[in-house]
C-alpha cells in the first residue's frame, strides 16, 4: 500500500489537487479554454506554413484541433480526413452524432463516417472554405485517398502538415498540463493496485488486468498501451532493451517485473514505468533489485538534471551516454501529450524525429532508463518531467523498486 | 475454464507458423496476379496479417512512433520486418529478415527506408510499389527517393488475400470470441443499477487478461439507449446514435443497454454485441421481447440464405424481407461486416458502398461474417445482438454462443 499512497501524493501539486471529478467552484480543467487555445495554436502554425486548410486524419491531431471525444480504437488506421480546419470558424468533424462533440462546434460542421471513400470526399467538396483553399496540409495519405482528394479539390496543392501539428502541440497549456497530471495520478494509483497483486503465480497479463480494474473504478476506461507488464529476465536477449508484451507466463518469486502503462484522461497520457521484484525472492534477488535501482537512479537523476531550456533532446541522450551505462534501444526522450509525440530521441531514431529539437519551457517529456544485469534481470523506469524556466519538474512520483525508503 | 492460450488435446491445434505461411502464400499470390513488384505495409492490422502478431496492442500514437513495417518483394516469399519489438519477430524471419525499426514520420526516416528497400531488392526497387497507409512524410518523399517509382494502393490486394480465412485464422477468432464471451458472464453478473460504465470496462479488462487476451480492439460500449431518436443525441443521418463512448456514467434502473466490444488474441479480433436491461431482476416488457423475436427472425432468414455462391445482395434481401421490407440495421453501419486482424473488414454488406457492391460479394467457405441487425421501434427502443459465423461448404457454422439473456 505504501506505493499507492506515494502515487496519490501527486494530488498535492495542483492548487485544487488532482482528481477526475469537477468541483463546485469550477472544474480542475477549463476545457473550453483548453480547446480555444489549442485551436489558436493550430491556426498560428498553419499561418506560419502558409496553409489555407488542414485535413487531419491522425486521431491525436484531430482531437487537438477539435476536442472531439471519439471512439478509441487500437492500432493505426489508414488516413481519412476526419477533421478539417480552416483559417476561420470552428473545425469540421467526422462524427455521425453530437455526443462527445464540444458545444462550440455547430451541428452543421459534423459529417458522418462513411465506408465509401467516394462519399467521404464528396463531403470535402461541399465545404465552401475548403474549395477555395490552395495550399492544403495533410497528416497522412493513402494512394487511393490522394487521387480522390485531388479530384475533389483539383486546384489544391497537398503538403505534409505533420511538422505543422508537431509545432502546435509541443508546448503545453496549463489546462493540458492539468490533464496530464490527472492521467499520471490515475496511472500511478492503478499501478499501485497492480503492485499489491504482484505475487508468485500471477500471470503477466492478469497483473495488467488488476491495473485496468482500478482504472475503471477511478472512472476512466483506457490505457494507451495494453498488456505491457512483463518479467525482465537476465538473459542476453534483454541486454539492450526490455521485452514489451505481457504473456500468460506466471511470475516467480524474486522475478523483476516491469509495470509499464499510460492511462488516458481526456486523451492525455500519464506515461509511467516502474520495476519491482516479485515478493518471496531470496536475499540475493532483493540485493540485485537494489543494485539495479541504484544504477537506474544515477542515470535517471542525470537525465532529469539535463532537461533544461536551451539544450536539445539529443543533448539529453548524450548525458545518458556519458553516464557509462549502455544506451537502451528505446526512445530515451519522447514527448507526452495526446499520447506519444515528438520530440523523440535515442537509438535508431533519426535526428529529425526530435533529437535536434531545442527544449523550451512548457514541454512535457518522458525519460526512459533501462539497465540490465546478465543472469539477474532488467530494470525499466520511465518518468515524466515538465520543462520549466530553469530546469525540469518531475510530474511522476510513484515509488521505485529497490528504493530502501519504501521498504 | 482451460487456459485458451494453450493447445489442449480436446481441441483443434492452432499452428501459428502454418497460419503465417498460409497468409504469406495468399499475399504472394495476390501480388503476382496484380503485377505488384513491392508490397510495403505500415498499418497495424496489415503488418499483423503479412508477418504475424508482432507488437503489443497500443493506440494510434504509439503505433505511429513505435512503428512496425513490413516489406515483401516479388520473388521472395518471406517479408522483411522492421520492428522495435524484436522479441516478437517470427522465428522464420530472425536470421536475415528482421531489422531495427524505421521512423516513417519524418524525411530522414523515409530516406532510411528507401536505402533499406534498395538493399533488400539488391538494386532498383521493383515497381509498382503497393502501399497500405502512410504518414505525410512517407507519402510525399518515398517515390521521389526511388526514381519516381509508381506507388499504388494496396487495399484491393490486401482485401482479396484477407477475405477468406485459413483454418488457423478461424481458430484464433474463435478463441478471441470465447475469451470475450467467458468474461461477459462475469460482467453480466456484475451489472446492477448504479454501476458505472467505466467500472464494467475495468472488470471486463481484468477478466479478459486473466483469460489470456492480449489487448483491446475497441473501448467497450455500454450505452443506455433512448426510447426515441428525438431523446437521443442529434445525428447527421437521423438514425439512432450508436455506439457512444463510455465514461463514468452510472447505469440506472430500467436502462436498456446496448453492449459492444472486441478483444485481441494473437492479432485477431472478437466481436461481441448484446442488449441488456439494468435492474435487480431484469425482465423485458412484451414490446421489448417482440423486438428480440423480430431480431431472431431476421437472423434466421439471413442465415438460411448463407451458403457458398450466395451474394451479399441475397443476404440484404433476406434480412429486409424478414423485417417487413425495412432494412433492419443502422443507416451508418451495415447488416454484416467481416472480422480478422481488423475489427471491421471485408465483406461489408449493406453499407454505403451500395447495392452493386453488395452484389459483387460472393460468399465462399472461410469467410467470416458478423451479423449485426438492429430492430428499432420509435418510442419504445430496440434490440441489437451480434452473431459471428463462418461460411462453410454446406452453409455456415456459428462461432458466437452467448445466450440472449435476459430475453430468453
Amino acid at each position: 500500500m505504501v506505493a499507492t499512497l506515494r502515487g496519490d501524493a501527486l494530488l498535492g501539486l495542483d492548487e485544487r489537487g488532482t482528481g477526475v471529478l469537477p468541483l463546485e467552484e469550477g472544474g480542475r480543467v477549463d476545457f473550453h479554454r483548453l480547446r480555444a487555445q489549442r485551436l489558436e495554436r493550430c491556426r498560428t502554425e498553419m499561418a506560419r506554413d502558409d496553409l489555407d486548410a488542414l485535413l487531419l486524419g491522425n486521431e491525436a491531431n484531430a482531437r487537438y484541433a477539435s476536442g472531439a471525444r471519439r471512439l478509441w480504437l487500437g492500432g493505426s488506421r489508414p488516413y481519412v480526413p476526419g477533421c478539417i480546419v480552416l483559417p476561420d470558424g470552428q473545425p469540421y468533424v467526422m462524427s455521425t452524432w453530437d455526443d462527445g462533440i464540444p458545444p462550440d462546434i455547430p451541428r452543421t460542421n459534423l459529417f458522418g463516417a462513411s465506408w465509401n471513400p467516394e462519399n467521404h470526399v464528396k463531403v470535402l467538396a461541399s465545404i465552401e472554405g475548403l474549395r477555395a483553399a490552395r495550399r492544403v496540409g495533410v497528416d497522412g495519405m493513402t494512394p487511393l485517398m490522394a487521387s480522390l482528394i485531388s479530384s475533389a479539390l483539383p486546384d489544391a496543392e497537398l503538403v505534409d502538415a505533420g511538422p505543422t501539428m508537431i509545432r502546435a502541440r509541443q508546448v503545453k497549456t496549463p489546462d493540458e498540463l492539468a490533464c496530464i497530471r490527472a492521467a499520471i495520478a490515475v496511472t500511478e494509483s492503478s499501478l499501485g493496485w497492480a503492485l499489491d497483486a504482484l505475487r508468485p503465480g500471477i500471470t503477466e497479463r492478469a497483473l495488467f488486468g488488476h491495473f485496468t480494474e482500478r482504472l475503471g473504478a477511478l472512472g476512466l476506461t483506457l490505457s494507451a498501451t495494453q498488456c505491457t507488464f512483463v518479467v525482465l529476465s537476465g538473459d542476453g536477449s534483454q541486454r539492450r532493451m526490455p521485452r514489451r508484451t505481457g504473456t500468460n507466463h506466471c511470475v516467480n518469486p524474486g522475478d523483476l517485473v516491469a509495470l509499464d502503462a499510460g492511462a488516458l484522461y481526456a486523451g492525455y497520457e500519464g506515461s509511467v514505468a516502474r520495476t519491482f521484484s516479485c515478493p518471496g525472492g531470496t536475499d540475493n534477488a532483493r540485493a540485485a533489485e537494489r543494485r539495479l535501482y541504484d544504477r537506474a537512479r544515477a542515470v535517471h537523476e542525470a537525465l532529469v538534471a539535463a532537461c533544461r531550456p536551451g539544450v536539445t533532446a539529443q543533448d539529453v541522450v548524450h548525458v545518458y551516454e556519458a553516464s557509462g551505462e549502455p544506451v537502451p534501444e528505446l526512445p530515451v526522450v519522447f514527448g507526452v501529450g495526446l499520447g506519444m509525440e515528438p520530440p523523440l530521441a535515442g537509438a535508431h531514431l533519426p535526428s529529425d524525429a526530435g533529437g535536434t529539437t531545442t527544449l523550451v519551457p512548457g514541454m512535457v517529456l518522458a525519460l526512459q532508463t533501462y539497465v540490465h544485469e546478465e543472469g539477474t534481470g532488467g530494470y525499466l523506469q520511465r518518468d515524466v518531467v515538465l520543462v520549466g524556466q530553469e530546469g525540469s519538474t518531475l510530474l511522476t512520483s510513484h515509488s521505485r523498486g529497490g528504493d530502501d525508503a519504501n521498504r | 475454464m482451460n487456459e485458451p492460450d494453450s493447445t489442449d488435446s480436446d481441441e483443434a491445434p492452432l499452428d501459428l507458423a502454418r497460419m503465417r505461411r498460409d497468409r504469406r502464400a495468399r499475399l504472394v499470390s495476390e501480388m503476382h496476379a496484380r503485377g505488384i513488384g513491392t508490397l510495403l505495409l505500415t498499418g497495424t492490422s496489415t503488418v499483423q496479417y503479412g508477418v504475424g502478431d508482432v507488437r503489443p496492442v497500443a493506440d494510434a500514437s504509439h503505433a505511429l512512433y513505435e512503428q512496425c513495417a513490413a516489406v515483401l518483394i516479388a520473388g521472395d516469399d518471406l517479408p522483411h520486418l522492421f520492428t522495435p519489438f524484436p522479441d516478437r519477430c517470427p522465428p522464420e524471419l530472425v536470421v536475415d529478415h528482421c531489422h531495427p525499426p524505421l521512423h516513417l514520420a519524418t524525411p530522414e526516416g523515409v530516406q532510411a527506408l528507401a536505402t533499406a528497400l534498395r538493399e533488400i531488392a539488391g538494386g532498383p526497387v521493383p515497381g509498382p510499389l503497393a502501399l497500405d497507409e502512410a504518414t505525410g512524410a512517407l507519402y510525399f518523399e518515398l517515390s521521389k527517393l526511388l526514381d519516381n517509382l509508381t506507388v499504388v494502393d494496396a487495399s484491393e490486394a490486401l482485401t482479396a488475400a484477407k477475405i477468406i480465412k485459413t483454418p488457423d485464422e478461424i481458430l484464433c477468432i474463435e478463441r478471441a470470441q470465447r475469451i470475450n464471451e467467458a468474461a461477459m458472464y462475469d460482467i453480466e453478473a456484475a451489472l446492477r443499477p448504479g454501476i458505472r460504465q467505466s467500472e464494467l470496462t475495468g472488470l471486463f479488462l481484468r477478466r479478459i487478461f486473466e483469460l489470456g487476451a492480449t489487448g483491446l480492439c475497441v473501448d467497450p460500449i455500454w450505452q443506455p439507449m433512448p426510447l426515441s431518436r428525438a431523446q437521443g443525441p442529434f445525428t447527421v443521418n437521423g438514425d439512432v446514435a450508436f455506439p457512444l463512448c463510455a465514461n463514468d456514467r452510472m447505469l440506472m434502473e430500467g436502462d436498456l443497454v446496448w453492449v459492444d466490444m472486441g478483444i485481441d488474441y494473437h492479432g485477431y479480433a472478437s466481436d461481441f454485441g448484446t442488449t441488456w436491461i439494468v435492474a435487480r431482476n431484469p425482465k423485458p416488457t412484451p414490446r421489448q421481447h417482440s423486438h428480440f423475436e423480430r431480431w431472431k427472425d431476421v437472423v434466421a432468414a439471413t442465415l438460411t440464405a448463407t451458403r457458398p455462391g450466395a451474394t451479399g445482395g441475397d443476404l440484404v434481401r433476406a434480412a429486409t424481407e424478414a423485417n417487413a421490407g425495412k432494412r433492419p440495421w443502422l443507416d451508418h453501419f451495415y447488416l454484416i461486416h467481416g472480422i480478422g486482424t481488423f475489427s471491421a473488414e471485408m465483406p461489408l454488406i449493406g453499407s454505403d458502398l451500395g447495392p452493386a457492391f453488395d452484389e459483387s460479394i460472393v460468399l465462399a467457405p472461410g469467410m467470416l461474417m458478423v451479423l449485426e441487425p438492429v430492430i428499432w421501434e420509435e418510442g419504445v427502443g430496440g434490440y441489437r445482438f451480434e452473431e459471428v459465423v463462418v461460411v462453410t461448404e454446406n452453409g455456415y457454422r456459428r462461432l458466437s454462443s452467448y445466450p440472449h439473456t435476459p430475453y430468453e
Side-chain angles (χ1 to χ4, degrees):
Chain A
M1 290 308 291
V2 171
T4 304
L5 291 174
R6 287 185 52 108
D8 289 345
L10 181 65
L11 301 182
L13 284 183
D14 192 23
E15 63 185 60
R16 285 174 181 158
T18 302
V20 292
L21 293 177
L23 302 172
E24 289 160 88
E25 68 274 27
R28 293 169 158 106
V29 180
D30 182 339
F31 282 108
H32 180 80
R33 184 176 60 191
L34 173 130
R35 288 192 300 270
Q37 291 181 341
R38 290 192 311 202
L39 185 56
E40 188 187 325
R41 289 186 178 187
C42 286
R43 296 238 162 88
T44 302
E45 298 305 329
M46 276 173 77
R48 188 182 293 185
D49 286 345
D50 195 21
L51 297 176
D52 303 318
L54 291 172
L55 303 184
L56 303 175
N58 173 304
E59 189 59 28
N61 284 342
R63 191 165 191 163
Y64 188 86
S66 70
R69 179 170 58 84
R70 296 193 289 202
L71 188 61
W72 184 93
L73 301 166
S76 67
R77 291 290 180 276
Y79 171 79
V80 167
C83 174
I84 295 141
V85 183
L86 299 174
D88 301 298
Q90 286 292 325
Y92 292 77
V93 178
M94 180 169 71
S95 178
T96 307
W97 39 81
D98 62 0
D99 184 80
I101 302 299
D104 336 331
I105 297 178
R107 289 175 174 179
T108 47
N109 280 28
L110 301 182
F111 57 96
S114 170
W115 308 98
N116 187 340
E118 291 182 19
N119 288 348
H120 193 100
V121 171
K122 277 182 201 158
V123 172
L124 300 186
S126 72
I127 298 173
E128 201 172 322
L130 189 54
R131 282 202 305 270
R134 289 297 169 267
R135 256 173 76 82
V136 174
V138 298
D139 60 358
M141 195 46 73
T142 66
L144 174 65
M145 196 49 80
S147 72
L148 291 172
I149 292 176
S150 297
S151 63
L153 308 172
D155 300 326
E157 177 200 1
L158 299 182
V159 298
D160 183 13
T164 317
M165 291 305 296
I166 288 168
R167 288 198 314 272
R169 289 166 55 182
Q170 208 143 58
V171 170
K172 274 42 184 186
T173 71
D175 292 304
E176 289 187 282
L177 198 56
C179 290
I180 293 169
R181 282 177 160 169
I184 289 171
V186 171
T187 305
E188 294 197 339
S189 173
S190 304
L191 210 132
W193 247 249
L195 200 51
D196 291 344
L198 176 58
R199 64 183 91 88
I202 193 166
T203 68
E204 293 172 340
R205 290 180 189 168
L207 194 58
F208 187 75
H210 282 267
F211 174 88
T212 55
E213 185 180 16
R214 172 66 177 164
L215 204 60
L218 292 171
L220 305 189
T221 62
L222 289 169
S223 179
T225 51
Q226 305 270 320
C227 225
T228 37
F229 290 5
V230 293
V231 173
L232 300 177
S233 77
D235 72 55
S237 70
Q238 294 194 55
R239 191 176 301 132
R240 298 298 295 276
M241 65 185 297
R243 197 160 57 82
R244 311 273 296 279
T245 313
T247 67
N248 280 348
H249 294 140
C250 293
V251 178
N252 290 311
D255 277 353
L256 287 161
V257 184
L259 311 173
D260 174 344
L264 297 173
Y265 174 76
Y268 288 88
E269 184 170 349
S271 188
V272 184
R274 291 290 183 263
T275 302
F276 283 85
S277 72
C278 179
T282 60
D283 288 346
N284 279 345
R286 281 191 296 277
E289 185 189 22
R290 278 196 291 276
R291 273 198 306 281
L292 289 163
Y293 162 75
D294 286 337
R295 284 172 55 194
R297 186 181 59 176
V299 179
H300 163 76
E301 287 176 354
L303 295 181
V304 174
C307 282
R308 295 186 312 273
V311 308
T312 66
Q314 195 61 41
D315 290 336
V316 180
V317 179
H318 291 323
V319 166
Y320 203 126
E321 287 161 357
S323 75
E325 293 286 354
V327 179
E329 291 173 2
L330 291 170
V332 167
V333 180
F334 64 88
V336 174
L338 291 168
M340 187 180 206
E341 54 186 52
L344 292 95
H348 295 313
L349 285 159
S351 62
D352 62 356
T356 54
T357 303
T358 300
L359 307 193
V360 296
M363 280 186 180
V364 175
L365 303 172
L367 302 174
Q368 296 206 97
T369 304
Y370 179 68
V371 293
H372 185 265
E373 186 177 284
E374 202 78 23
T376 306
Y379 188 103
L380 175 71
Q381 180 180 325
R382 185 171 62 250
D383 284 279
V384 176
V385 297
L386 168 67
V387 180
Q389 296 296 335
E390 313 233 316
S392 292
T393 309
L394 210 52
L395 299 183
T396 39
S397 63
H398 197 289
S399 64
R400 299 170 173 85
D403 182 353
D404 284 333
N406 298 305
R407 288 179 179 270
Chain B
M1 159 154 186
N2 289 324
E3 180 53 67
D5 220 11
S6 64
T7 298
D8 298 314
S9 56
D10 61 346
E11 60 184 342
L14 172 62
D15 186 335
L16 294 173
R18 178 177 61 197
M19 179 165 82
R20 294 194 296 270
R21 200 164 56 235
D22 289 350
R23 290 187 310 209
R24 288 198 300 267
R26 298 186 69 87
L27 275 181
V28 166
S29 156
E30 290 302 329
M31 284 175 69
H32 184 73
R34 291 155 202 273
I36 294 170
T38 301
L39 180 63
L40 170 60
L41 303 176
T42 69
T44 306
S45 67
T46 50
V47 173
Q48 265 168 355
Y49 187 83
V51 179
D53 177 21
V54 294
R55 64 164 306 140
V57 175
D59 73 0
S61 74
H62 289 259
L64 173 61
Y65 293 118
E66 296 195 289
Q67 181 136 36
C68 293
V71 173
L72 191 53
I73 300 227
D76 188 355
D77 58 3
L78 280 181
H80 288 262
L81 173 65
F82 298 83
T83 179
F85 310 98
D87 57 293
R88 303 195 77 193
C89 180
E92 64 270 20
L93 305 184
V94 166
V95 177
D96 56 0
H97 279 63
C98 185
H99 310 279
L102 294 164
H103 183 81
L104 301 180
T106 61
E108 278 181 47
V110 178
Q111 173 76 58
L113 167 68
T115 305
L117 282 170
R118 279 203 203 86
E119 275 172 24
I120 289 170
V125 178
L129 179 143
L131 174 64
D132 58 341
E133 57 183 77
T135 62
L138 178 59
Y139 185 77
F140 291 112
E141 302 291 328
L142 184 64
S143 175
K144 281 191 289 186
L145 293 169
L146 296 172
D147 308 317
N148 294 317
L149 187 71
T150 303
V151 175
V152 298
D153 207 286
S155 56
E156 282 186 18
L158 286 164
T159 293
K162 290 176 79 178
I163 197 162
I164 303 295
K165 269 62 182 177
T166 73
D168 293 303
E169 291 186 276
I170 294 166
L171 203 51
C172 280
I173 295 165
E174 200 165 1
R175 289 190 183 179
Q177 195 68 24
R178 184 148 48 108
I179 291 170
N180 195 152
E181 291 186 358
M184 293 312 286
Y185 285 96
D186 292 331
I187 304 313
E188 190 172 1
L191 183 70
R192 52 185 289 166
I195 199 162
R196 289 174 166 187
Q197 292 174 322
S198 65
E199 286 179 282
L200 293 179
T201 301
L203 293 170
F204 174 69
L205 291 175
R206 161 96 184 260
R207 199 68 191 107
I208 62 165
F209 290 125
E210 283 171 353
L211 291 164
T214 47
L216 264 187
C217 298
V218 53
D219 190 14
I221 310 292
W222 323 91
Q223 182 185 339
M225 299 307 295
L227 301 183
S228 68
R229 295 183 184 95
Q231 285 180 357
F234 161 83
T235 57
V236 296
N237 60 3
D239 207 340
V240 182
F242 177 86
L244 306 184
C245 306
N247 51 52
D248 65 348
R249 175 178 184 163
M250 291 181 194
L251 302 178
M252 304 310 285
E253 182 86 27
D255 278 350
L256 183 75
V257 174
W258 285 6
V259 175
D260 195 359
M261 80 270 297
I263 67 141
D264 180 272
Y265 178 79
H266 281 297
Y268 282 84
S270 67
D271 197 350
F272 181 95
T274 192
T275 300
W276 284 342
I277 294 165
V278 183
R280 287 253 158 215
N281 180 24
K283 201 170 182 306
T285 64
R287 292 287 283 282
Q288 287 172 334
H289 204 271
S290 73
H291 303 154
F292 168 58
E293 292 295 334
R294 175 58 67 88
W295 180 92
K296 275 201 300 189
D297 293 344
V298 167
V299 169
T302 311
L303 289 176
T304 300
T306 297
R307 69 180 78 86
T311 68
D314 293 336
L315 303 190
V316 163
R317 283 184 287 276
T320 307
E321 196 176 313
N323 192 40
K326 188 176 173 302
R327 286 155 68 103
W329 60 92
L330 296 173
D331 177 68
H332 46 276
F333 282 125
Y334 23 55
L335 171 64
I336 289 166
H337 67 86
I339 193 168
T341 58
F342 196 66
S343 52
E345 59 184 46
M346 286 294 169
L348 303 184
I349 298 174
S351 75
D352 73 339
L353 287 158
F357 183 83
D358 291 340
E359 287 306 333
S360 76
I361 294 172
V362 180
L363 304 197
M367 266 191 195
L368 254 290
M369 304 198 305
V370 181
L371 281 59
E372 48 178 80
V374 167
I375 307 301
W376 182 261
E377 185 183 357
E378 191 61 5
V380 184
Y383 190 84
R384 179 181 182 276
F385 188 98
E386 296 185 74
E387 203 73 88
V388 185
V389 303
V390 56
V391 179
T392 61
E393 295 290 345
N394 304 316
Y396 66 90
R397 181 167 69 86
R398 210 181 289 252
L399 303 186
S400 48
S401 61
Y402 200 80
H404 293 267
T405 46
Y407 287 78
E408 69 174 19

